[in-house]
Amino acid sequence: MEKVFMKGNEAIAEAGIRAGCRFFAGYPITPQNDIPEYMSRRMPEAGGVFVQGESEVASISMLMGSAFNGVKSMTSSSGPGLSLKSEGISTMAGMQLPAVIVNVMRGGPGTGAIQGAQMDYLMATKASGHGGFRMIVYAPSTVQEAVDYTIRAFDKAEQYQQPMLIAADGHIGAIMESVELPEMRPVANMKKNYEFFPHPGFGKTRQQVYSVDLNLKAQEDFNRYLADLYDIWNRDEVLVEEYLVEDAEYVIVTYGTSSRIARAAIKALREEGVKIGMVRPISLYPFPYDSIRKLDPNKVKKILCLELSIPVQVVEDVELAVQGKIPIESYGRAASLVFTPEEVIGYFNSIK
Amino acid sequence: MEKIYSRPVSLNPVAFNYCPGCLHGTSQKLLCDVIDELGKQEDTIAVMPIGCSTMGMFAFDFESLGACHGRAPAVATGVKRTAPEKLVFTYQGDGDIGYIGFSEIMHAANRGENFTVIFANNGTFGMTGGQMAPTTLIGQRATTAPLGRDPSYGQGMPIHMSELVASLPLPVYVERCSVDTPAHANATRKAIKKAFDIQLAGKGFSFVEILTNCPTNWGVSPVQSIAWIKEKTYTEYPLGVYKDITQEG
Amino acid sequence: MAKVEITAAYCKGCLLCEALCPKGVLSLGNEVNALGYNIIKADDTKECIACQQCAVICPEGAIEVYK
């Protein structure tokens, strides 16, 4: 373990290298530019390959090639770039090729606002591309978590042979914090361990990897295989922090940078004697429905969803979990504007 | 008697998924021939596109993967950069390379990536039913150009990929070939062999355009499609070597 | 002495070979293969000269040549 003071974006890049990532392709877009910049000098040192792609579309496609060869691979972008990468991400899910994709989220829609925001929740968790696939999505709230969950994302990508997503927000990407970096892992090629769904028509003995199947029955079987995989994720891969929810009469649901602001607000409100806590999804997908479902409607008066997004998007999953049993309020800021703890407290006092 | 012409070993013992008389089959058979000759069946990775061209995926008995529409040169970049010892090629059609993947082909060529692009040019979108391609000839009818391609109607001019790729500084070898006759097919085989030799020697980007046909969407018989290539396609797309810096200095 | 052998399973009867054969060895036969195509047959009474033109052009790799 090595303790350093590091910017979130660079920490994500270094975590990738230490997890064994040896191929990175990316394209400039704010607020994630430190990641490709860091990779461009660090990757050659580590004996890996950095390519500045001609577009986000090309960059994710380059990952298909490197992942085909069993090389741990990573790309990063922000909202508009993720829209472009969605073609390749969906294809990699169909091809069963592992990779880690980083979305350092900014404002939207469209070009939106170029500083940090959390406006891609629904895209990240429900549809990072066509065809109904899912990814495990980690939302770090500190630079340390950005490191830890980037490494975990590489492990999960390899374990499940699927693309995984880091949904960091621009604030996590930009802040500097003290962080413990793990030891550099030995580089291990994944190719010999690949196991692909047996699509008829393609090589039984040779690695032939496509996201198309002209045999419709086989394609449907593959869709079932993926659905089963998502069931496994929902059972085994949920990560959540429950903060002061034991006695809570009010529960905030939030993640990433918003959860830091919420924590400060909760501490202040607790000092005033307000029984308030927080459910913080760390994995946005699979969503920690159980942590919300188990809240007692006779005890919890209200749930407050906080997000740096207007409209607040995470509320849709909270509604699914609550099933109308607890009133839900939501408060967001957008366009890269950030609520303060005082603002959160003010809003809370207006709805409690 | 001795067998003097054999079906390539690296071609699977299955029928192609192509219409009768489709020269994609001839082109892909030639590719397999060259791979056999080089003894590279175990060390080849094909990057396949979207469109009829991709049907080689069932025919090739070597490693392969399927790119999104137009992205094969980007995928091949990832393949070759992480496995420089492999023989890597893309096999792309005209819609794939000249429309949607124009950025990917030009930038892979401009980076001088050390792989080979095989471009099958038949002037139509075969798989989707004969829509206008970037290479569709002036006056040639397509399902999205029912009166024939007309530049004055905003449908643009036929795009010349070999000339465009050859205009970049880093590509090493660019040739336009055809497979309409056995003599031209043999010349195409030589061009593919030369491109692969260049790649295996680590010299850089090579590009072989092959003029092919589409009897189904041209609305002619396979034999008539051969006459079509001679009469119409050559005029627009002259055969020849457009760049070869292995010959210089 | 030379001959061509046609693999019935691959042939789609496109006639590119017939058009090229300088000796009129190849023509469309009555046999229908599993794909549903009438396939090319080689006429043993005609003299194959092993020029290989049919085999080179054949889009299906269905023709092999012996000499």
Side-chain angles (χ1 to χ4, degrees), chain A residues 137-180:
Chain A
V137 182
Y138 295 122
S141 68
T142 62
V143 175
Q144 185 66 57
E145 284 190 350
V147 167
D148 296 346
Y149 294 118
T150 298
I151 292 167
R152 190 181 175 94
F154 274 100
D155 290 343
K156 295 301 165 188
E158 182 176 11
Q159 180 182 347
Y160 295 113
Q161 228 178 285
Q162 283 287 310
M164 300 291 159
L165 185 71
I166 302 293
D169 53 70
H171 307 291
I172 296 298
I175 55 171
M176 292 187 80
E177 286 183 322
S178 142
V179 57
E180 277 187 2

Side-chain angles (χ1 to χ4, degrees), chain B residues 33-55:
Chain B
D33 249 342
V34 176
I35 288 162
D36 286 357
E37 184 187 337
L38 291 167
K40 287 288 176 187
Q41 187 183 7
E42 303 302 321
D43 297 307
T44 295
I45 301 176
V47 183
M48 302 306 283
I50 298 293
C52 279
S53 318
T54 201
M55 287 302 180

Side-chain angles (χ1 to χ4, degrees), chain B residues 117 119 162 166 173-178 187-188 190-192 194 206-210 238-244:
Chain B
V117 170
F119 163 39
S162 286
Y173 172 60
V174 180
E175 180 164 358
R176 181 181 289 124
C177 309
S178 175
T188 300
K190 283 203 184 86
I192 294 169
K194 175 162 180 166
S206 47
F207 185 95
V208 178
E209 175 174 346
I210 307 175
L239 303 185
V241 176
Y242 285 83
K243 189 167 188 193
D244 184 358

Side-chain angles (χ1 to χ4, degrees), chain A residues 242-258:
Chain A
E242 295 174 7
Y243 176 65
L244 303 178
V245 289
E246 280 291 304
D247 62 341
E249 293 174 354
Y250 299 93
V251 174
I252 294 176
V253 180
T254 189
Y255 60 91
T257 290
S258 297

Side-chain angles (χ1 to χ4, degrees), chain C residues 14-59:
Chain C
C14 73
L15 302 178
L16 291 182
C17 56
E18 183 200 50
L20 285 166
C21 181
K23 295 289 180 183
V25 173
L26 300 164
S27 63
L28 199 62
N30 293 322
E31 192 189 334
V32 176
N33 68 8
L35 297 169
Y37 295 107
N38 273 72
I39 64 166
I40 291 289
K41 69 172 192 313
D43 184 346
D44 294 341
T45 66
K46 304 271 175 65
E47 184 201 2
C48 173
I49 56 169
C51 69
Q52 304 177 46
Q53 294 198 83
C54 56
V56 170
I57 205 78
C58 177

Side-chain angles (χ1 to χ4, degrees), chain A residues 104-121:
Chain A
V104 184
M105 291 186 286
R106 64 189 235 175
T111 309
I114 64 169
Q115 298 86 2
Q118 298 176 308
M119 295 198 72
D120 300 338
Y121 179 87

